[in-house]
Amino acid sequence: MFRNQYDTDVTTWSPAGRLFQVEYAMEAVKQGSAAIGLRSKTRVVLACVNKSTSELSSHQKKIFKVDDHIGVAIAGLTADGRVLSRYLRNECINYSYTYESPLPIGRLVVQLADKAQVCTQRSWKRPYGVGLLVGGLDESGAHLYYNCPSGNYFEYEAFAIGSRSQAAKTYLERKFETFKDSSRDNLIKDALFALRETLQGEKLTSSVCTIAVVGVGEAFQILNQETVQGLINEFEIVGEELPPADEAAPPEQGSGAESGPSAAEQGAAPMDI
Amino acid sequence: MTKQHANWSPYDNNGGTVVAIAGADYCVIASDTRMSTGYSILTRDYSKIIQLADKSVMASSGFQADVRALQKVLEARHLIYQHQHNKQMSCPAMAQLLSNTLYFKRFFPYYAFNVLGGLDSEGKGCVFTYDAVGSYERVGYSSQGSGSTLITPYLDNQLKSPSPLLLPAKDAVTPLSESEAIDLVKTCFVSATERDIYTGDKLEIVILNASGIRRDYMELRKD
């Protein structure tokens, strides 16, 4: 109702206590192609759908190596994502230079969140229009975080962002309790299954997706196309009919770690969590 | 009134000698492991050699604090390069980067005497030799550090590098085999250890070839 009056500036509050520019930035994330992350005690798998503007062009790079022990998958304005990845890489390099040890992921995501917050409180800036799934290691094992344009960040067992991510989230909610002690192959398999949910019937092949893994004793790497296709074939994920129950999945009731984004879908301001 | 002079120096020389020899398809980079100050020994077991990239290995004698700082800067720059270009730096590229990094501190130099060894993009051995402020040249072999004055004439005699003034440019890499080059390096250090008080304890040899990287060690006189 009053949205249009108070949404010109990021530094203007609405009477209901919302910053609409920030919420619009979170919309941009929802429009981007899907990105998924899941983690076990010792490993994180990032997966994303490759969207390209036409058959003639190459697809957008959505997964970036930040350091040997950290990687990110992005959804939304990929140019913003690229710039933030450069920032993350720089922070890791500077930390390694000073302390000769890898930057703990928990510290990195706070720095990233603070950087995003700055853009919500300066009239000459705009919020970053990209959501980042940051997966990596610190001394206590593997972690997965989601960083919003709002400057908030949450830790997750598994999460999905971008268009049609709801389908993936439903799958992940069913299975996430098994991820903790999952083997590398099973974790990748679950990522592929979750990714397939977002394709809504489109065939899952290695040209449509990108998978990356980072773990204790395994440096971050993006798996190459042949490996991914081999895994897809092995798990017989190709062309399986979606059971009707998945397609009719209602918005979830805000259970567990995914309560933030679900509340947003029900109309409350995302930053209110 | 005479000019006031500083009563301390930001530099110290930790001694030691480094050598590198380029072969047709390998490169040998070697240094002793003694670290000294004045007439004392700080440690007998310090490596002056670092692998900067897949095919680039640097060995530096001089002030080891500056050497370590230089190594860290190059490591960080190499990470940035890998992020931007999605590949490792070639040895000639690293050679240029090292030169630029040294000249950057032209007016407060890194007290480091470097030798960079590795394989070029054709897989041939390459050695680059530097002064403290970044002047560099690709050569077939080189020695730097406290024992260099004893080793370089011996290498000149054994490796008969053709003059860089000859046209057409003649390849400077030695026709010696890998094992012959390693033996030559060992001989160099054993001789230098006899007369240079700052060289000794242990010899570390790094060999870079198509199959990867390998390290060898040899004991030297400890006096």
Side-chain angles (χ1 to χ4, degrees), chain B residues 21 37 71 80 82 108 113 122 139 143-144 156 159 161 200 202:
Chain B
I21 300 179
T37 178
Q71 290 173 350
I80 295 173
Q82 284 177 84
F108 184 12
F113 300 102
E122 294 165 13
V139 287
S143 171
Q144 295 276 358
D156 284 341
L159 297 177
S161 188
K202 203 163 71 184

Side-chain angles (χ1 to χ4, degrees), chain A residues 61 63-72 82-96 103 108 219-222, chain B residues 74-89:
Chain A
K61 194 164 173 203
I63 297 189
F64 299 89
K65 173 173 172 171
V66 166
D67 203 344
D68 281 339
H69 66 297
I70 300 181
V72 300
R82 211 174 52 236
V83 157
L84 286 176
S85 300
R86 193 162 56 226
Y87 168 76
L88 296 173
R89 286 169 176 170
N90 235 28
E91 290 301 303
C92 286
I93 288 175
N94 288 338
Y95 187 93
S96 291
L103 175 56
L108 181 62
F220 179 90
Q221 72 167 174
I222 297 177
Chain B
L74 293 172
E75 277 176 330
R77 291 300 305 275
H78 187 225
L79 265 180
I80 295 173
Y81 183 97
Q82 284 177 84
H83 281 139
Q84 290 177 341
H85 303 265
N86 233 22
K87 64 172 191 154
Q88 296 265 326
M89 266 178 105

Side-chain angles (χ1 to χ4, degrees), chain B residues 169-186:
Chain B
K170 231 175 149 204
D171 221 290
V173 296
T174 175
L176 288 179
S177 76
E178 190 181 295
S179 49
E180 285 170 334
I182 294 172
D183 281 342
L184 180 61
V185 158
K186 289 181 179 174

Side-chain angles (χ1 to χ4, degrees), chain A residues 12-246:
Chain A
T12 304
W13 288 100
S14 82
R18 296 159 74 157
L19 290 170
F20 285 117
Q21 279 296 309
V22 179
E23 291 183 33
Y24 295 165
M26 317 249 305
E27 274 306 308
V29 177
K30 293 183 199 158
Q31 301 304 323
S33 57
I36 291 167
L38 23 60
R39 65 126 182 202
S40 71
K41 229 175 351 206
T42 55
R43 212 172 260 116
V44 180
V45 174
L46 297 172
C48 70
V49 169
N50 295 339
K51 211 191 235 174
S52 57
T53 43
S54 81
E55 269 180 37
L56 298 169
S57 80
S58 63
H59 62 80
Q60 291 269 24
K61 194 164 173 203
K62 286 166 46 89
I63 297 189
F64 299 89
K65 173 173 172 171
V66 166
D67 203 344
D68 281 339
H69 66 297
I70 300 181
V72 300
I74 63 174
L77 264 54
T78 46
D80 283 2
R82 211 174 52 236
V83 157
L84 286 176
S85 300
R86 193 162 56 226
Y87 168 76
L88 296 173
R89 286 169 176 170
N90 235 28
E91 290 301 303
C92 286
I93 288 175
N94 288 338
Y95 187 93
S96 291
Y97 180 92
T98 308
Y99 299 102
E100 298 202 17
S101 110
L103 175 56
I105 185 179
R107 308 251 192 104
L108 181 62
V109 293
V110 181
Q111 285 173 249
L112 178 62
D114 287 348
K115 190 172 164 72
Q117 190 281 338
V118 168
C119 298
T120 68
Q121 212 174 7
R122 307 278 186 269
S123 60
W124 63 90
K125 286 183 180 250
R126 65 157 177 82
Y128 289 106
V130 65
L132 297 102
L133 283 171
V134 190
L137 310 171
D138 68 17
E139 282 165 352
S140 58
H143 300 270
L144 173 70
Y145 293 89
Y146 171 53
N147 280 73
C148 296
S150 60
N152 273 334
Y153 70 100
F154 308 94
E155 184 169 0
Y156 285 99
E157 299 290 325
F159 199 45
I161 56 177
S163 69
R164 296 190 283 213
S165 55
Q166 186 50 58
K169 272 189 264 190
T170 311
Y171 174 87
L172 293 170
E173 271 181 32
R174 268 206 332 259
K175 305 280 311 275
F176 79 94
E177 268 145 353
T178 65
F179 293 163
K180 203 136 191 85
D181 298 303
S182 217
S183 73
R184 184 179 188 275
D185 275 357
N186 281 338
L187 210 61
I188 299 178
K189 174 175 161 191
D190 279 317
L192 287 166
F193 270 110
L195 207 59
R196 199 202 57 176
E197 303 288 312
T198 70
L199 293 172
Q200 302 287 55
E202 215 184 298
K203 189 170 167 180
L204 176 68
T205 64
S206 60
S207 54
V208 183
C209 65
T210 307
I211 313 280
V213 190
V214 62
V216 175
E218 182 185 358
F220 179 90
Q221 72 167 174
I222 297 177
L223 305 183
N224 67 33
Q225 277 215 314
E226 296 93 63
T227 315
V228 176
Q229 189 59 50
L231 289 164
I232 292 174
N233 298 337
E234 197 185 310
F235 299 136
E236 287 166 357
I237 301 177
V238 177
E240 241 186 65
E241 279 306 297
L242 291 173
D246 289 345

Side-chain angles (χ1 to χ4, degrees), chain B residues 44-61:
Chain B
R44 298 187 190 275
D45 202 5
Y46 189 81
S47 176
K48 302 196 232 308
I49 305 181
I50 189 174
Q51 184 177 21
L52 294 171
D54 260 357
K55 302 194 174 149
S56 301
V57 172
M58 179 173 80
S60 326
S61 84

Side-chain angles (χ1 to χ4, degrees), chain B residues 17-114:
Chain B
T17 311
V18 297
V19 167
I21 300 179
D25 60 351
Y26 65 87
C27 188
V28 172
I29 303 101
S31 86
D32 71 320
T33 60
R34 174 176 288 178
M35 190 184 193
S36 341
T37 178
Y39 288 121
S40 307
I41 292 182
L42 289 172
T43 180
R44 298 187 190 275
D45 202 5
Y46 189 81
S47 176
K48 302 196 232 308
I49 305 181
I50 189 174
Q51 184 177 21
L52 294 171
D54 260 357
K55 302 194 174 149
S56 301
V57 172
M58 179 173 80
S60 326
S61 84
F63 181 36
Q64 289 303 320
D66 273 358
V67 167
R68 184 75 193 111
L70 177 63
Q71 290 173 350
K72 287 171 71 147
V73 167
L74 293 172
E75 277 176 330
R77 291 300 305 275
H78 187 225
L79 265 180
I80 295 173
Y81 183 97
Q82 284 177 84
H83 281 139
Q84 290 177 341
H85 303 265
N86 233 22
K87 64 172 191 154
Q88 296 265 326
M89 266 178 105
S90 68
C91 196
M94 185 63 81
Q96 185 69 56
L97 177 64
L98 173 54
S99 170
N100 292 146
T101 308
L102 290 168
Y103 197 82
F104 197 70
K105 273 171 63 73
R106 171 65 179 80
F107 301 110
F108 184 12
Y110 290 106
Y111 196 122
F113 300 102
N114 307 292

